[in-house]
Amino acid sequence: MLADRLIDILIIQVPVDYLLGLGSKKIFEDTLEILVNHREIQSKPVIVLSPHGSAVSERLEFEKRLAGAKIPTYPTFEQAAKAIANVNWYFRFHRSQNV
């Protein structure tokens, strides 16, 4: 899938409440490590959907660590889609100004 030239971006939903509900802080840490490592070795951008839930402090830690790896997080798909559309518009606008 990541080698597919028709796929421009990877969007992953990672509900922190679910990770913690699996019973292990290790799963939480392993998921963070996988996402950060992916970002370091892949050229395709990654966006993480991290819906709000009851594990507020853990979700904030999760989002902070992803932000440190330059991986944006959004609580909903709609917000992520809007951000993607805004970036797309920005680059199209500036490309048209340089013609």
Side-chain angles (χ1 to χ4, degrees), residues 27-99:
I27 293 171
F28 177 82
E29 295 295 332
D30 289 349
T31 302
L32 273 168
E33 184 179 339
I34 289 167
L35 291 169
V36 169
N37 287 343
H38 169 81
R39 174 69 174 102
E40 292 173 355
I41 61 174
Q42 285 291 323
S43 61
K44 289 191 181 182
V46 176
I47 291 178
V48 173
L49 302 179
S50 178
H52 295 173
S54 60
V56 176
S57 62
E58 290 88 349
R59 181 182 52 79
L60 292 175
E61 175 191 348
F62 187 76
E63 292 176 3
K64 181 179 179 181
R65 289 176 60 188
L66 290 176
K70 299 184 179 172
I71 300 173
T73 60
Y74 298 93
T76 66
F77 186 82
E78 291 80 10
Q79 289 177 332
K82 186 174 183 176
I84 294 166
N86 287 339
V87 169
N88 187 29
W89 177 88
Y90 175 86
F91 281 101
R92 285 177 187 246
F93 175 77
H94 285 281
R95 189 177 307 139
S96 71
Q97 299 301 308
N98 292 331
V99 174

